[in-house]
Coordinates of all heavy atoms in Angstrom, one line a residue:
A134 N 68.0 98.7 72.9 CA 66.8 99.3 72.2 C 67.3 100.0 70.9 O 66.6 100.0 69.9 CB 66.1 100.1 73.1
Y135 N 68.3 100.8 71.0 CA 68.8 101.6 69.9 C 69.9 100.9 69.2 O 70.6 101.7 68.4 CB 69.2 103.0 70.5 CG 68.0 103.8 71.2 CD1 67.7 103.9 72.4 CD2 67.1 104.4 70.1 CE1 66.6 104.4 72.9 CE2 66.0 105.0 70.7 CZ 65.8 105.1 72.0 OH 64.6 105.7 72.6
E136 N 70.4 99.8 69.6 CA 71.5 99.0 68.8 C 72.6 99.9 68.8 O 73.3 100.2 67.7 CB 71.1 98.7 67.4 CG 69.8 97.6 67.5 CD 69.5 97.1 66.0 OE1 69.8 97.9 65.1 OE2 68.9 96.2 66.0
I137 N 73.0 100.5 70.0 CA 74.2 101.4 70.0 C 75.5 100.7 69.8 O 75.7 99.6 70.4 CB 74.2 102.1 71.3 CG1 72.9 102.8 71.5 CG2 75.3 103.1 71.5 CD1 72.7 103.6 72.8
E138 N 76.4 101.3 69.1 CA 77.7 100.8 68.9 C 78.6 101.3 70.0 O 78.7 102.4 70.3 CB 78.3 101.3 67.5 CG 79.8 100.9 67.4 CD 80.4 101.6 66.2 OE1 79.7 102.4 65.4 OE2 81.6 101.5 65.9
E139 N 79.3 100.3 70.7 CA 80.2 100.8 71.8 C 81.5 100.8 71.3 O 82.0 99.9 70.6 CB 80.2 99.7 73.0 CG 78.7 99.6 73.5 CD 78.6 98.8 74.8 OE1 79.2 99.2 75.8 OE2 78.1 97.8 74.7
V140 N 82.2 101.9 71.7 CA 83.6 102.1 71.2 C 84.5 102.6 72.4 O 84.2 103.2 73.3 CB 83.8 103.2 70.2 CG1 85.1 103.6 69.8 CG2 83.0 102.8 68.8
S141 N 85.7 101.9 72.5 CA 86.7 102.1 73.5 C 87.9 102.9 72.9 O 88.5 102.5 71.8 CB 87.0 100.8 74.2 OG 88.1 101.1 75.3
L142 N 88.6 103.6 73.8 CA 89.9 104.2 73.5 C 91.1 103.2 74.0 O 92.1 103.4 73.5 CB 90.1 105.5 74.1 CG 89.3 106.7 73.6 CD1 89.8 108.0 74.2 CD2 89.3 106.7 72.0
G143 N 90.7 102.3 74.9 CA 91.8 101.5 75.4 C 91.4 100.9 76.7 O 90.2 101.0 77.2
D144 N 92.3 100.1 77.2 CA 91.8 99.4 78.4 C 92.1 100.1 79.7 O 93.1 99.8 80.5 CB 92.7 98.0 78.4 CG 92.4 97.1 77.3 OD1 91.2 97.2 76.7 OD2 93.2 96.3 76.9
F145 N 91.4 101.1 79.8 CA 91.3 102.0 81.0 C 90.1 102.7 81.2 O 89.2 102.6 80.1 CB 92.6 103.1 80.9 CG 92.4 103.9 79.7 CD1 91.8 105.1 79.7 CD2 93.0 103.5 78.6 CE1 91.8 105.9 78.5 CE2 93.0 104.3 77.4 CZ 92.3 105.4 77.3
V146 N 89.8 103.4 82.3 CA 88.5 104.0 82.7 C 88.8 105.4 82.9 O 89.6 105.8 83.6 CB 87.8 103.3 83.9 CG1 86.4 104.0 84.1 CG2 87.8 101.8 83.6
L147 N 87.8 106.2 82.3 CA 87.7 107.7 82.4 C 86.6 108.0 83.3 O 85.7 107.2 83.4 CB 87.5 108.4 80.9 CG 88.8 108.2 80.0 CD1 88.4 108.6 78.7 CD2 90.0 108.8 80.6
S148 N 86.5 109.2 83.6 CA 85.5 109.7 84.6 C 84.1 109.8 83.8 O 83.1 109.7 84.4 CB 85.8 111.0 85.3 OG 86.9 110.9 86.1
G149 N 84.3 110.0 82.5 CA 83.0 110.2 81.6 C 83.5 109.9 80.2 O 84.7 109.9 79.8
G150 N 82.5 109.9 79.3 CA 82.8 109.8 77.9 C 83.3 111.0 77.1 O 83.5 110.9 76.0
E151 N 83.3 112.2 77.7 CA 83.5 113.4 77.0 C 84.9 113.4 76.4 O 85.2 113.9 75.2 CB 83.3 114.6 77.9 CG 81.9 115.0 78.1 CD 81.3 114.0 79.3 OE1 82.1 113.3 80.0 OE2 80.0 114.1 79.4
L152 N 85.9 113.2 77.1 CA 87.3 113.2 76.7 C 87.4 112.1 75.5 O 88.1 112.3 74.6 CB 88.3 112.8 77.8 CG 88.4 113.9 78.8 CD1 89.4 113.6 80.0 CD2 88.9 115.3 78.2
A153 N 86.8 110.9 75.7 CA 86.8 110.0 74.6 C 86.2 110.4 73.5 O 86.6 110.2 72.2 CB 86.3 108.6 75.1
A154 N 85.0 111.1 73.6 CA 84.4 111.7 72.5 C 85.2 112.7 71.7 O 85.2 112.8 70.4 CB 82.9 112.3 72.8
M155 N 85.9 113.6 72.4 CA 86.8 114.5 71.8 C 87.9 113.9 71.0 O 88.2 114.2 69.8 CB 87.5 115.4 73.0 CG 86.5 116.5 73.6 SD 87.3 117.3 74.8 CE 86.0 118.2 75.7
A156 N 88.4 112.8 71.6 CA 89.4 112.1 70.9 C 89.1 111.5 69.6 O 89.7 111.5 68.5 CB 90.0 111.0 71.7
L157 N 87.9 110.8 69.6 CA 87.3 110.3 68.3 C 87.0 111.4 67.4 O 87.3 111.2 66.2 CB 85.9 109.6 68.8 CG 85.2 108.9 67.5 CD1 84.4 107.6 68.3 CD2 84.3 109.7 66.9
I158 N 86.5 112.4 67.8 CA 86.1 113.7 66.8 C 87.3 114.1 66.2 O 87.6 114.4 65.0 CB 85.4 114.6 67.7 CG1 83.9 114.2 68.1 CG2 85.2 116.0 66.7 CD1 83.1 115.2 68.9
D159 N 88.4 114.4 67.1 CA 89.7 114.9 66.6 C 90.2 114.0 65.6 O 90.7 114.4 64.5 CB 90.5 115.1 67.7 CG 92.0 115.8 67.2 OD1 91.9 116.9 67.2 OD2 92.9 115.1 67.0
A160 N 90.3 112.7 65.9 CA 90.8 111.7 64.9 C 90.0 111.6 63.6 O 90.6 111.5 62.5 CB 90.9 110.3 65.5
T161 N 88.8 111.9 63.6 CA 88.0 111.8 62.4 C 88.1 113.2 61.7 O 88.2 113.2 60.4 CB 86.5 111.6 62.8 OG1 86.4 110.4 63.6 CG2 85.6 111.5 61.6
V162 N 88.1 114.3 62.3 CA 88.1 115.7 61.7 C 89.3 115.8 60.9 O 89.3 116.4 59.8 CB 87.8 116.7 62.7 CG1 88.1 118.0 62.1 CG2 86.3 116.7 63.0
R163 N 90.4 115.4 61.4 CA 91.7 115.6 60.9 C 91.9 115.0 59.5 O 92.8 115.5 58.7 CB 92.9 115.3 61.8 CG 93.1 113.8 62.0 CD 94.2 113.6 62.9 NE 95.5 114.2 62.7 CZ 96.3 113.5 61.7 NH1 96.0 112.3 61.3 NH2 97.5 114.1 61.4
I164 N 91.1 113.9 59.1 CA 91.3 113.4 57.8 C 90.0 113.8 56.9 O 90.0 113.4 55.7 CB 91.3 111.9 58.0 CG1 89.8 111.3 58.6 CG2 92.4 111.3 58.8 CD1 90.0 109.8 58.5
L165 N 89.2 114.7 57.4 CA 88.2 115.2 56.4 C 88.9 116.1 55.4 O 89.9 116.8 55.7 CB 87.2 116.2 57.2 CG 86.3 115.5 58.2 CD1 85.5 116.4 58.9 CD2 85.4 114.4 57.4

Side-chain angles (χ1 to χ4, degrees):
Y135 294 100
E136 299 181 338
I137 299 176
E138 175 186 356
E139 294 185 73
V140 170
S141 171
L142 290 191
D144 298 337
F145 56 90
V146 179
L147 296 170
S148 299
E151 287 79 13
L152 292 178
M155 289 180 188
L157 184 151
I158 293 169
D159 184 85
T161 306
V162 164
R163 68 183 302 275
I164 63 174
L165 296 176

